[in-house]
Amino acid sequence: MAKKDRKELVIIGAGPGGYAAAFHAADLGIKVTLIDPEVNPGGVCLYRGCIPSKALLHLAKTKEEAMQASKWGMKFEEPKIDIKKVASWKEKVVKKLTEGLGQLSKARNIEYIQGKAKFTGKNELEVTDNKGKTSGLSFEKVIIATGSSAVGLPELEIDHEKIWDATDALELKEIPKKMLVVGGGYIGLELGSVYAALGTKVSIAEMTPGFLPGADRDLVKVFEKSEAFKNVFFETKVEKVKITKKGVKVSLKGKKEEQTKKFDCVLVAVGRKPNTQNLGLEKLGIAANENGFLEVDDRRRTKLEHVFAIGDITGEPMLAHKASHEGRIAAEVIAGKKGAAYDPKVIPAIVFTNPELAWCGLTEEEAKEKNKNVKVVKFPWSASGRAVAIGENTGLTKLLIDKETEVILGGAVAGKNAGSLIPEIALAIEMGSTASDLSLTIHPHPTLSETIMESAELFYGGATHYKKS
Ligand code: NAD
């Protein structure tokens, strides 16, 4: 082992949590060492998650829009998919962005070490590079940002051939004729939509009675109207699996019946688990809780003064934007910035399907459970000029507003660009805005953003373009 070299701040993991922490810490004058197995920062999000999937979902949306245009008098032929070209375009997107992060890291004089880190003591770790060579270093402070990885199922072991995880699906090695997606959550719906657009007959088996457990049903209904999938099996679990030469034989156990179906491949998307294993945490002197997460305070500090943790390893929701925010807070705490604390009122969630589904703050389900005195106002997009002009009549915008104080407590949008609309509601909640703040803000016409203003108008009895019959 090489001579140990003491670092001011080491960050383990260069995903959206780790690199955001590293960049901010460096900007605040801290000498940063960032460790990750990839050649550049980016993590799962950029290499095998958010970014490649969004590139492919863009393609799916382009196809769907082109096909829809025949209703409006513009007919396109069924597109021909050149899967190799699609894969190479997706790779180019990933390369451009990860190399960009590499340059941003260099520009900040961050020491970037390619390899896997494992603690060997309270202030020491060793890094194993991709060739298996190890070197040691010591540190004053550390931020652990090692993210999460896909959960498998005992009856469905990922073999990367016929039983895929999201990474396999994003590799685009082939376009299967028939695919089963197990899990109707974020990944199942997003990647299922991608393959459906590429021409695969996609079926989904979801354990609960509907897609996206945790999201309000009226939002999910908007997505269901798009009928993206060939078959949907709710309240269904995979019982037995037989891998054959031609594909996979799966027996699906529903509430009432069990049926056997054949697919070319199965994509397993049943959740993610925090990467707190094989880190040598015992040498550091901390342990993960019973769910595998590291517990932290509102400064993202573990029970050890010099050890911080951010992102997926600190708990749900496992979202890149939550990780980045935590990273910046941890950097500020380490830099000694007074008052720095992780205290978001809301963390927006977005499912980038077509239509997109987005929500933040209190959901209707939660409002009922918690007996909240809220008024729920819903503005249907069939009443929005812009939505109708772009063929998005099924969309929906809603707000949950405290009946007494008129403060916005939650909101949701289902429809095109819902993900770009939800931050307005998130900002309103963060700022403690009332319904009148939203209704009195002049929103440009004709835009989908008006649906938020008009939802707020509904709280006071009537919106210009919608009257409940
Ligand atoms: P998820 O938690 O979103 O969905 C998993 C789904 O699988 C759930 O609906 C669950 O009921 C179902 N399920 C669990 N066990 C099952 C079984 N045995 N049979 C059938 N269904 C089963 O998980 P995911 O889709 O794997 O995504 C993981 C995480 O990644 C998400 O929680 C999210 O935080 C993150 N993610 C976010 C985005 C985004 O922000 N757009 C996109 C992809 C992933």
Side-chain angles (χ1 to χ4, degrees):
M1 195 182 285
K3 192 171 169 285
K4 283 174 189 155
D5 163 24
R6 195 162 180 97
K7 313 286 182 191
E8 188 179 353
L9 171 63
V10 165
I11 299 176
I12 305 175
Y19 78 72
F23 292 2
H24 198 41
D27 289 344
L28 293 169
I30 298 169
K31 195 90 199 79
V32 180
T33 301
L34 182 58
I35 307 174
D36 191 278
E38 294 289 347
V39 64
N40 278 306
V44 170
C45 174
L46 274 95
Y47 282 99
R48 297 173 293 281
C50 326
I51 295 298
S53 66
K54 259 71 276 169
L56 299 178
L57 279 160
H58 176 63
L59 212 73
K61 278 179 198 171
T62 305
K63 178 182 169 186
E64 278 159 32
E65 284 187 359
M67 295 294 101
Q68 201 186 1
S70 68
K71 284 193 269 178
W72 313 321
M74 189 188 279
K75 190 162 168 37
F76 292 92
E77 297 300 317
E78 183 71 23
K80 288 195 183 81
I81 312 266
D82 179 341
I83 191 74
K84 282 205 177 122
K85 215 165 169 183
V86 172
S88 119
W89 170 64
K90 177 213 63 172
E91 284 308 318
K92 270 188 206 148
V93 170
V94 170
K95 195 163 181 282
K96 183 175 167 56
L97 292 172
T98 50
E99 285 181 356
L101 288 174
Q103 282 158 14
L104 287 171
S105 177
K106 277 197 193 104
R108 288 172 160 99
N109 292 321
I110 290 169
E111 179 188 22
Y112 189 82
I113 302 179
Q114 196 180 354
K116 273 192 175 168
K118 189 170 184 174
F119 294 104
T120 49
K122 266 203 170 344
N123 291 83
E124 287 176 354
L125 55 79
E126 69 176 21
V127 182
T128 307
D129 72 12
N130 295 350
K131 290 184 186 135
K133 194 170 152 249
T134 58
S135 54
L137 57 83
S138 70
F139 55 84
E140 277 161 33
K141 294 202 170 65
V142 64
I143 301 178
I144 310 172
T146 46
S148 61
S149 42
V151 168
L153 287 171
E155 56 280 20
L156 265 175
E157 214 171 291
I158 314 280
D159 65 5
H160 308 290
E161 297 274 326
K162 290 190 174 118
I163 315 283
W164 296 358
D165 60 15
T167 307
D168 300 314
L170 285 168
E171 276 180 14
L172 289 186
K173 283 194 197 135
E174 53 174 314
I175 305 177
K177 284 201 178 76
K178 283 168 82 184
M179 174 196 254
L180 174 70
V181 177
V182 182
Y186 285 79
I187 294 179
L189 296 192
E190 290 188 356
L191 291 183
S193 300
V194 166
Y195 274 88
L198 292 174
T200 302
K201 287 195 170 86
V202 176
S203 298
I204 299 213
E206 162 60 43
M207 189 173 74
T208 69
F211 291 136
L212 297 168
D216 277 340
R217 295 301 93 190
D218 50 0
L219 290 189
V220 175
K221 242 185 221 156
V222 176
F223 172 74
E224 281 172 351
K225 282 185 192 149
S226 71
E227 294 180 348
F229 306 121
K230 181 170 164 48
N231 286 310
V232 176
F233 306 101
F234 289 130
E235 295 183 275
T236 299
K237 277 180 128 183
V238 171
E239 278 286 293
K240 275 178 256 141
V241 177
K242 193 169 173 222
I243 296 183
T244 64
K245 261 194 182 160
K246 284 193 181 153
V248 194
K249 234 173 157 181
V250 183
S251 75
L252 297 163
K253 193 168 190 315
K255 236 178 151 186
K256 290 189 192 125
E257 54 170 351
E258 188 165 341
Q259 46 188 319
T260 303
K261 302 243 168 218
K262 284 185 198 155
F263 301 93
D264 297 314
C265 66
V266 178
L267 164 62
V268 183
V270 294
R272 297 182 67 81
K273 60 174 190 296
N275 291 333
T276 40
Q277 309 266 311
N278 305 321
L279 275 176
L281 292 178
E282 62 293 343
K283 294 274 167 54
L284 190 62
I286 56 171
N289 68 17
E290 68 278 12
N291 298 318
F293 294 113
L294 292 184
E295 281 171 16
V296 286
D297 65 13
D298 65 354
R299 283 145 190 253
R300 307 293 93 176
R301 190 178 247 135
T302 64
K303 68 170 193 174
L304 299 176
E305 182 73 17
H306 69 302
V307 179
F308 294 75
I310 57 169
D312 289 2
I313 55 160
T314 65
E316 300 278 357
M318 295 195 198
L319 296 171
H321 40 284
K322 173 205 166 237
S324 301
H325 182 72
E326 289 179 287
R328 290 178 63 87
I329 297 298
E332 291 185 359
V333 171
I334 292 167
K337 214 166 172 187
K338 283 204 179 95
Y342 176 79
D343 184 26
K345 280 193 183 155
V346 295
I347 302 167
I350 305 166
V351 188
F352 292 90
T353 41
N354 192 20
E356 291 181 359
L357 309 178
W359 64 97
C360 67
L362 194 69
T363 64
E364 258 188 272
E365 293 275 314
E366 283 167 354
K368 271 185 218 140
E369 273 165 31
K370 294 178 183 163
N371 234 339
K372 289 270 184 186
N373 188 22
V374 290
K375 182 168 174 178
V376 183
V377 283
K378 298 187 187 187
F379 186 86
W381 283 22
S382 53
S384 151
R386 184 59 185 272
V388 174
I390 59 170
E392 279 285 298
N393 307 16
T394 58
L396 173 80
T397 298
K398 75 171 171 185
L399 294 173
L400 283 88
I401 302 163
D402 187 297
K403 276 188 189 162
E404 249 173 60
T405 62
E406 303 187 2
V407 167
I408 317 284
L409 298 178
V413 186
K416 202 180 285 289
N417 292 333
S420 303
L421 294 168
I422 202 72
E424 177 179 346
I425 303 176
L427 180 65
I429 299 173
E430 284 294 342
M431 299 196 69
S433 307
T434 60
S436 69
D437 291 324
L438 282 182
S439 72
L440 293 174
T441 299
I442 298 178
H443 284 62
H445 180 71
T447 63
L448 297 171
S449 74
E450 288 168 290
T451 65
I452 298 174
M453 174 185 71
E454 295 215 37
S455 297
E457 287 172 4
L458 281 174
F459 180 76
Y460 299 105
T464 308
H465 297 101
Y466 180 60
K467 186 91 193 130
K468 209 171 170 191
S469 49

